[in-house]
Amino acid sequence: MSRKILFITTDQQRYDTLGANGGTLSRTPVLDRLASEGIRYERCQPTSVVCMPSRSSMLTGQFPSTHGAWMNGVPLAIDAPSVAETLHDAGYATALIGKAHFEPFMDPFGLYAENALANLGIPTIEQDWFDGRRGVHRGFDYLEFATHGVMGPLHYAKWMRDEHPEAIRGFYQVVDQDFNVNAAGGGDSGAPQVKYNSVPREWYHTDWVADRTIRWLEEQPTDQDWFCWMSFPDPHHPWDPPKSEVGRIPWRDVPLPENYPESASERESLLDQKARHWRAWYDGRLVSNYEAPAKWVPATMTADQVREVNALNAVEVELIDEAIGRVLACIDDKGWGDDVDVVFTSDHGELQGDFGLLFKGPYHVDALMRLPLIWRPARSTATVPSVVHAPVSLVSLAATFLEIASEPSPYWVEGASLPIDDDDAKTRSFDATFTEWDSSIFGVDVHVRSVVTDDYLYTEYQPGTVHDGSEGELYDLVDDPLQRVNRFNDPGMTGVRAELSERLSVHENRPGDRATPGALMAPV
Amino acid sequence: MASIRHERRIAADADTVWSVVRRPESIPEWFPGIVSCTVEGNHRVITTAIGLDIPEEILSNDDATRHFAYRITAPQYSFHLGVIDVIDIAPNDSLCVYSTTALPDTLALLIAGGTLGALDEIQRLAESSRVAS
């Protein structure tokens, strides 16, 4: 019997939302305990700051420029490598319950398995594998899907429509009549994507994901090795948690984020230091990506709206923490308490008011790029708790899962397994991480590459619709942890900039096979 | 309004390619995700794999120019125009162009995404010459 793996992801959750990471808004005792017992990573970066490329990196252990799902709406190739396949081959029972999003949600022709399985009523489906075999969908022999609402064909939405149709109207309508991300305001402050949801807590998707995970775990034989990816759709917008829970964190008492200047002139001054698309979006002159409401202008956001969004986000984080607690209790009840590795992270962050912005896009700063990451190795390993300060990447997750399972890392994995402490990080040269952004939608092309080291966050904007290839950002993470002072054009930083640019060049030209970039099939 | 064009060079005569797409009722054979359709006069209703019924009006079906044009008439679309052109390049060599123009823009992207798979199938069927003309 090997170590079992519970892989927990959330969607769009910032580093600073956990108590273990210094967050004060949400109470997260379950995750804080996992952090205290295991390894807490101080600087974990995604490979992309949007869902599909980032999640595909978790599954494949590859950067988006390798796996080919380069932006939201580009499906991961059906025969892309998958760590779940390798674990399945090794005898693991494999499940993904919650949000997958390797394939587009918007799928009017029903082309993708993620959107088809709920109607088919089967736990998985056979597809081509990268090595020429056929097998269960992306290596998972059990799949049950949810996303941010109750529309569409996924299991949770279908369950809600079948079992609790009266509660459907309580949810925020995620897209508007033009099929864009909805800008309509709600709550007390009129913030976009906010609604007080009348759905009972036990029917909300957070508890549903935990319930379905518990059900799957309970069905596993005690001696069965398993890999379970439990994937919560929250705290991604819409911020529409059950109304019964919003009183936990009264929004009027919520302090403004440290990186939200109340003065419009100060916000604008900060944005003007960055590449030009920042201010253009803030002013409503440019919508560079689908993931934020097309009809919403960030400059119109009020301080109260920032407070309310942060409060509701924090409520959703607390509900997730409590749901994880229930799943861990189930694991203990099954007698697996000493044999399960728990890995917790998120696919990317959320601007959440920083610089006067909300949602996400081609904005490579900590709000979107610094993620919570906790690895609580199985207690049977007697791993010494630690905090890793070196930069690490979600691209390392696949190799980490394989190491846990005592499986060799296959040739297609680009990331090394996560370090267990700073000495290990130093020995294995964990000194830089890379984040990519490519988008091309409705005539707007944006291409961004960033590298994060112990000391710096450096970004280059490649030529596109709004960038001419000369712009960039360079932040000193030690002196300027909020990334307010762009030193890209500082003559005193010429050497640093050259070194970091060379690192990006090496990343771009790294050896290895690359998948043909996929076609854009949908906006998300 | 968004307009998206996909095209495919196909190793088959233009007439062979055209024979794949010219019959309105043949669309389930070459458009992945369209599982059935009904045709009455110049009105077609397609049914997709997730059970969506989408009504369309056929605007042009011209054997001489190998040009097929249609529009989706569902209320979610403020405007839609789909055009398939098959262009003769040389014997056993043709170009199939599938254009989608729609409002809201997002719907153009969704339909055009489907047309990529359709071009794959049109190519496969034409090159394998398994379609009765």
Side-chain angles (χ1 to χ4, degrees):
Chain A
M1 194 168 70
S2 303
R3 289 151 65 185
K4 304 166 197 342
I5 304 167
L6 178 65
F7 178 36
I8 307 168
T9 53
T10 60
D11 195 341
Q12 204 159 302
Q13 183 173 357
R14 293 165 59 116
Y15 164 88
D16 56 10
T17 56
L18 298 187
N21 292 339
T24 56
L25 209 48
S26 307
R27 288 156 296 185
T28 54
V30 174
L31 288 165
D32 296 349
R33 182 176 173 200
L34 287 173
S36 70
E37 293 177 350
I39 308 158
R40 183 174 65 82
Y41 296 85
E42 272 284 278
R43 187 157 279 285
C44 172
Q45 313 287 148
T47 62
S48 165
V49 297
V50 289
C51 300
M52 292 180 71
S54 181
R55 289 163 181 268
S56 296
S57 287
M58 298 180 193
L59 187 69
T60 63
Q62 299 176 338
F63 287 94
S65 52
T66 296
H67 61 57
W70 50 279
M71 70 176 283
N72 271 348
V74 176
L76 180 66
I78 198 63
D79 57 353
S82 162
V83 66
E85 287 173 19
T86 309
L87 293 170
H88 182 83
D89 277 350
Y92 273 66
T94 49
L96 195 168
I97 298 166
K99 183 176 173 181
H101 209 188
F102 310 120
E103 299 159 10
F105 285 143
M106 289 190 176
D107 180 18
F109 300 108
L111 299 175
Y112 302 107
E114 287 178 20
N115 297 321
L117 286 177
N119 271 337
L120 291 171
I122 53 178
T124 187
I125 193 165
E126 285 218 337
Q127 305 273 16
D128 292 332
W129 282 7
F130 73 99
D131 56 8
R133 294 179 294 160
R134 284 181 69 80
V136 293
H137 184 61
R138 300 193 189 281
F140 292 102
D141 46 36
Y142 186 85
L143 295 155
E144 213 168 354
F145 297 123
T147 186
H148 312 293
V150 286
M151 303 302 291
L154 302 183
H155 296 80
Y156 172 69
K158 188 169 187 293
W159 177 79
M160 281 294 294
R161 289 198 296 270
D162 290 347
E163 302 294 326
H164 307 293
E166 72 280 11
I168 298 288
R169 291 175 61 189
F171 287 79
Y172 184 87
Q173 187 178 318
V174 179
V175 295
D176 63 18
Q177 61 183 11
D178 289 337
F179 296 86
N180 285 315
V181 176
N182 201 342
D188 296 326
S189 68
Q193 294 270 324
V194 161
K195 186 175 182 184
Y196 293 167
N197 191 341
S198 56
V199 68
R201 174 184 175 170
E202 58 270 26
W203 299 347
Y204 190 62
H205 41 72
T206 295
D207 275 10
W208 183 88
V209 168
D211 290 344
R212 305 306 290 179
T213 301
I214 289 168
R215 182 180 167 210
W216 183 81
L217 290 170
E218 287 177 337
E219 289 174 349
Q220 301 308 306
T222 307
D223 60 352
Q224 172 67 52
D225 292 331
W226 49 260
F227 169 71
C228 181
W229 185 340
M230 176 169 66
S231 181
F232 295 102
D234 268 356
H236 187 292
H237 59 275
W239 295 285
D240 61 350
K243 189 163 50 179
S244 60
E245 308 304 314
V246 300
R248 295 163 175 246
I249 301 172
W251 69 263
R252 290 178 177 83
D253 299 339
V254 170
L256 288 166
E258 192 177 8
N259 223 0
Y260 172 78
E262 279 197 81
S263 150
S265 61
E266 187 182 355
R267 289 197 296 272
E268 291 162 6
S269 171
L270 291 172
L271 293 168
D272 286 342
Q273 290 191 43
K274 302 180 185 300
R276 71 189 77 180
H277 68 297
W278 287 79
R279 180 69 193 270
W281 179 40
Y282 177 83
D283 288 340
R285 290 180 284 115
L286 173 74
V287 178
S288 65
N289 56 297
Y290 181 82
E291 289 79 12
K295 294 173 184 163
W296 178 70
V297 176
T300 64
M301 184 166 60
T302 66
D304 277 352
Q305 289 175 346
V306 174
R307 285 191 175 92
E308 191 168 27
V309 164
N310 275 276
L312 296 176
N313 185 290
V315 169
E316 294 181 354
V317 168
E318 288 196 359
L319 296 180
I320 290 168
D321 192 76
E322 291 163 15
I324 293 169
R326 289 200 292 123
V327 173
L328 294 179
C330 165
I331 286 170
D332 284 341
D333 289 346
K334 289 279 287 191
W336 291 325
D338 291 339
D339 302 318
V340 176
D341 283 62
V342 182
V343 176
F344 171 87
T345 192
S346 193
D347 55 356
H348 54 79
E350 155 67 50
L351 283 159
Q352 226 163 302
D354 280 11
F355 305 105
L357 304 171
L358 207 55
F359 306 106
K360 59 186 181 280
Y363 310 98
H364 284 181
V365 289
D366 274 1
L368 299 185
M369 294 223 302
R370 190 180 187 187
L371 304 179
L373 175 62
I374 297 165
W375 174 15
R376 203 293 309 279
R379 294 190 184 106
S380 59
T381 66
T383 301
V384 177
S386 70
V387 177
V388 173
H389 299 86
V392 300
S393 168
L394 296 183
V395 79
S396 285
L397 290 173
T400 305
F401 299 144
L402 295 172
E403 184 176 285
I404 291 168
S406 300
E407 289 295 311
S409 212
Y411 69 92
W412 40 264
V413 167
E414 289 189 294
S417 62
L418 289 166
I420 58 169
D421 54 33
D422 274 336
D423 288 341
D424 185 26
K426 188 174 181 183
T427 302
R428 295 199 285 136
S429 301
F430 278 83
D431 58 2
T433 60
F434 300 90
T435 301
E436 306 173 349
W437 173 287
D438 292 289
S439 60
S440 180
I441 188 166
F442 303 136
V444 180
D445 279 27
V446 183
H447 306 283
V448 190
R449 295 290 182 273
S450 293
V451 56
V452 172
T453 65
D454 288 332
D455 299 328
Y456 297 104
L457 191 171
Y458 175 73
T459 295
E460 290 182 355
Y461 293 89
Q462 299 169 353
T465 305
V466 290
H467 305 114
D468 60 11
S470 67
E471 290 177 89
E473 289 158 28
L474 172 59
Y475 302 107
D476 184 328
L477 295 175
V478 179
D479 293 342
D480 179 28
L482 298 180
Q483 294 119 53
R484 290 179 167 217
V485 182
N486 181 10
R487 303 187 67 184
F488 186 79
N489 292 315
D490 181 343
M493 301 298 281
T494 304
V496 170
R497 186 176 144 183
E499 180 192 331
L500 295 171
S501 184
E502 174 62 18
R503 280 188 176 251
L504 284 183
S505 178
V506 169
H507 171 73
E508 285 293 280
N509 297 299
R510 67 193 182 280
D513 295 335
R514 309 281 181 92
T516 302
L520 181 63
M521 302 294 283
V524 69
Chain B
M1 184 102 60
S3 193
I4 299 170
R5 187 183 72 191
H6 293 302
E7 55 196 42
R8 185 66 51 83
R9 192 83 173 258
I10 298 175
D13 291 340
D15 283 341
T16 302
V17 178
W18 177 243
S19 70
V20 175
V21 298
R22 61 178 291 276
R23 291 178 297 118
E25 64 274 19
S26 72
I27 193 167
E29 298 168 18
W30 52 265
F31 199 118
I34 295 179
V35 294
S36 64
C37 76
T38 58
V39 180
E40 289 184 17
N42 61 346
H43 293 281
R44 178 169 71 182
V45 178
I46 61 165
T47 301
T48 76
I50 60 166
L52 276 179
D53 289 328
I54 303 177
E56 300 172 335
E57 180 184 4
I58 296 164
L59 305 172
S60 174
N61 186 3
D62 186 344
D63 286 334
T65 58
R66 303 185 197 91
H67 173 84
F68 189 98
Y70 65 103
R71 70 183 186 95
I72 294 173
T73 56
Q76 295 89 345
Y77 291 76
S78 303
F79 179 87
H80 171 264
L81 177 65
V83 176
I84 305 170
D85 283 304
V86 181
I87 299 161
D88 180 32
I89 295 176
N92 211 36
D93 187 1
S94 58
L95 181 69
C96 187
V97 181
Y98 205 142
S99 304
T100 305
T101 302
L103 187 68
D105 295 359
T106 302
L107 293 178
L109 193 55
L110 292 175
I111 298 297
T115 67
L116 271 171
L119 284 170
D120 289 341
E121 279 303 292
I122 292 167
Q123 178 177 22
R124 187 183 66 80
L125 291 167
E127 292 183 349
S128 62
S129 298
R130 282 194 274 124
V131 173
S133 55

